[in-house]
Every structure is written in C-alpha cells, then in structure tokens.
Amino acid sequence: MLHVRSIWNGAISFGLVSIPIKLVNATESHSISFRQIHTEDGGRIRYRKFCELEDREVTSAEIGKGYEDADGTIIPITDEDLSRLPLPTAKTIEIVAFVPADRIDPLQMDAAYYLAASGAPAAKPYTLLREALKRSNKVAIAKFALRGRERLGMLRVVGDAIAMHGLLWPDEVRAPEGVAPDADVTVRDKELDLADALMDTLGEVDLEDLHDEYREAVEEVIAAKVAGEAPPESPEPAAGGKVLDLMAALESSVRAAQQSRGEEAQVHDLPQRKRAASRATPKETGTKKSTSTSTPGSDKAGTKKKTATKKTAAKKTATKKTTAKTAAKTTAKTTAKKATPRKRSA
C-alpha cells in the first residue's frame, strides 16, 4: 500500500459493480526548483495578492473562484456549486468502454495515477476488474471529474495494481500540420540500411540505467557554492555543423557506436560508389557493342580513322595556342608603349 496522500476519493463504476478507490499520484518530480531573489542582497522575492477594489493584501482564506464573463463581469463560483454538478462522474470513475491498448494515441497521455482499493470490501471487485483487464489484453476507457472539470482516462494493469492515465480529449490534440519538411526528399535504400545498422548497433537500453545528468550537474554546482569552491567547468560542446554528406555521417555514427560497445567496425565502402564506377553511358555501351560485332578489317580501319582524327584535333589545338600566345604578346607590347611616359624636351 502506498503511503501517499490520496488526491481523490470515489469509486469505479464497472457496470452494476461499484469499487471504492482512492486516487494516488503515480509519478513524482525530482527536478531542482529555484527561488526568485533580489540579485543585490539575496533577499527572497515574494508575490502578494491584492484585492483591486479594496487595494489591500488578502489572505488565502479570503480567496475564491470566479468566472469572467465576456463583458468583464466576474461571476462567483463556490466549491458547493461545483459539488452539485449533475454529473455521474463527480465522485465516480465511470468505465464506458474496453478497447485494445494500441487504439490509444500516446499524444493523448497525460498525468498517471494509481487506483488503490479503499477498504476490505473493495478487494474482491478490484481484483476482478484487474484480472479481467489482464485476460482481455484491453484497457478500460473511463470518464471522471477532477480539479473542476470532467476528464478522460485509461485504466490498465501495472503489476498487481490498476493504474489510470489521464487522457486529453481528442479535440485537444493538435494535428501535425506544417511540422514535416516541405521539401520533396528521396531517401535511398542504402541510407535506410545504414540507419538500420546504426539502430541495431545502439541496441536496446534498460530504462532503469538512465538518469537525469542535468540535475546531477546542478547539484554539483550547488555543493561547490556551499563549500565556497569554484563551480565545475562545463565540457566543450560537441562540434556541430551542417551534414554535407549524410552517408558519411551515418557510416561514422555506426563506427563510433560499434567502438563504444567494443565491437569491431564493419562498415564497408558504399555499393553505390562501386556501381558508379562500373556504370557505362549509353554512348559507351553503343561503342562497346559495335566493337564486339565488327570484323578484324573494320577494327583496323576504325583505328586508323580515330588516329587521324586525334592528329587533326591536336594540330588545331596547337594552332589555337600559338595564335593566343601571339595575340597576348602583341597586347602586352601595346600596353607597355602606352604606359611609358614621353620625355619632355629641355
């Protein structure tokens, strides 16, 4: 039994079966919280609540709830008003359906709670619901009211207990419009193969081994401050930049992951590069075919023609180079004459 204060007392409505339960938070935050202080003297900064009509500070006992209408009018709403709401879920977690777990979109997941059986009479129906959920491999969808509004929930079995995840209403989950890249990107099979290899190399992880390194670093800073020592220096950030060659980045990632696990890197040259070297253009293919089907005499004739063509092209190239050199010399001489100042007569 959890030695945690319950945040809600009521019952699970399972058809005509009613199970008295207590709602207990299933999670807790270990994050480090900070206080606002005055930087000059370290004094705490506190907020005071004032009544804008009387212009005075009020206590918590004097503060209630109110709904602001469109014209700015405040309509007081008391806890008694909320307790009289004509809802069956005001004090009951009403199960409305049983569905496969994969029907629930993880985006809808909200806060998690444990449902603790309240008293000995609740043990039997509680166990019945738990075992029914186990055998069906389904989760229960329920409606309940908490903190002033009706909510949606999902009941599932965790160990020997029944847990409930608060769910957002479907219309509270935004569609992922405008999130994916607009550009038309093609991913090659080799890139997917390397991504799969990287995923396989990284492998699985025991979530129990993961911890909050940021919190630990903050604790070290606080401990150093308390001891009057200099806070530890942060390591140099990893070099970033644009990924110019995705394939090279994937290969390097696989090698690094294998080395970190003590495995021998086995990333070979890309097949695309090998195929690119062996690929022939349509013209080259046609030449090869015509060569293979020609007779020995035609081969010699073709060779002589090619040799003659090469010589003619070489002569033309030499003539062009000579003409260019002559033109360059002429231009240089002309420029030199223009640049030489004329001697003035005495």
Side-chain angles (χ1 to χ4, degrees), residues 210-229:
L210 302 179
H211 57 280
D212 189 348
E213 296 182 11
Y214 178 82
R215 188 189 74 201
E216 292 177 355
V218 173
E219 289 173 346
E220 290 180 6
V221 171
I222 294 173
K225 291 268 191 176
V226 171
E229 302 173 355

Side-chain angles (χ1 to χ4, degrees), residues 46-239:
R46 299 181 183 274
Y47 292 98
R48 296 180 178 179
K49 298 181 179 181
F50 278 76
C51 173
E52 63 179 20
L53 296 180
E54 299 182 11
D55 192 23
R56 69 176 181 87
E57 186 178 358
V58 296
T59 62
S60 299
E62 299 176 88
I63 299 175
K65 301 183 185 71
Y67 174 79
E68 185 174 3
D69 205 354
D71 60 358
T73 303
I74 300 295
I75 304 170
I77 302 293
T78 65
D79 292 337
E80 186 178 0
D81 295 331
L82 297 176
S83 66
R84 293 178 178 176
L85 289 175
L87 288 174
T89 56
K91 281 293 181 180
T92 304
I93 298 174
E94 182 184 8
I95 295 177
V96 296
F98 292 88
V99 300
D102 58 8
R103 286 271 304 277
I104 306 301
D105 189 340
L107 286 173
Q108 286 185 257
M109 295 286 189
D110 201 359
Y113 310 94
Y114 286 129
L115 304 181
S118 181
K124 178 71 174 181
Y126 185 98
T127 305
L128 172 64
L129 176 59
R130 183 191 66 199
E131 296 305 313
L133 288 171
K134 279 184 181 179
R135 191 165 71 170
S136 67
N137 289 323
K138 293 183 177 180
V139 297
I141 303 301
K143 296 170 71 176
F144 65 103
L146 182 66
R147 299 190 179 98
R149 70 184 186 96
E150 188 174 55
R151 301 166 185 255
L152 200 60
M154 180 191 76
L155 278 64
R156 69 184 184 95
V157 177
V158 177
D160 291 332
I162 299 175
M164 182 173 69
H165 295 269
L167 298 179
L168 299 174
W169 296 99
D171 61 357
E172 292 180 317
V173 179
R174 293 178 176 175
E177 296 177 358
V179 177
D182 293 333
D184 187 11
V185 180
T186 301
V187 179
R188 295 179 292 173
D189 289 340
K190 181 57 182 177
E191 293 168 337
L192 285 173
D193 292 341
L194 280 174
D196 290 341
L198 178 57
M199 292 167 64
D200 292 339
T201 304
L202 292 176
E204 298 182 359
V205 65
D206 186 353
L207 296 181
E208 296 293 333
D209 296 335
L210 302 179
H211 57 280
D212 189 348
E213 296 182 11
Y214 178 82
R215 188 189 74 201
E216 292 177 355
V218 173
E219 289 173 346
E220 290 180 6
V221 171
I222 294 173
K225 291 268 191 176
V226 171
E229 302 173 355
E233 295 184 359
S234 60
E236 290 294 329

Side-chain angles (χ1 to χ4, degrees), residues 245-257:
D245 190 341
L246 181 59
M247 297 296 289
L250 286 170
E251 288 179 332
S252 300
S253 300
V254 173
R255 290 192 183 97

Side-chain angles (χ1 to χ4, degrees), residues 244-272:
L244 301 180
D245 190 341
L246 181 59
M247 297 296 289
L250 286 170
E251 288 179 332
S252 300
S253 300
V254 173
R255 290 192 183 97
Q258 289 175 338
Q259 291 173 0
S260 67
R261 291 176 173 270
E263 301 175 6
E264 184 178 352
Q266 298 178 350
V267 179
H268 306 288
D269 291 336
L270 301 181
Q272 280 83 351

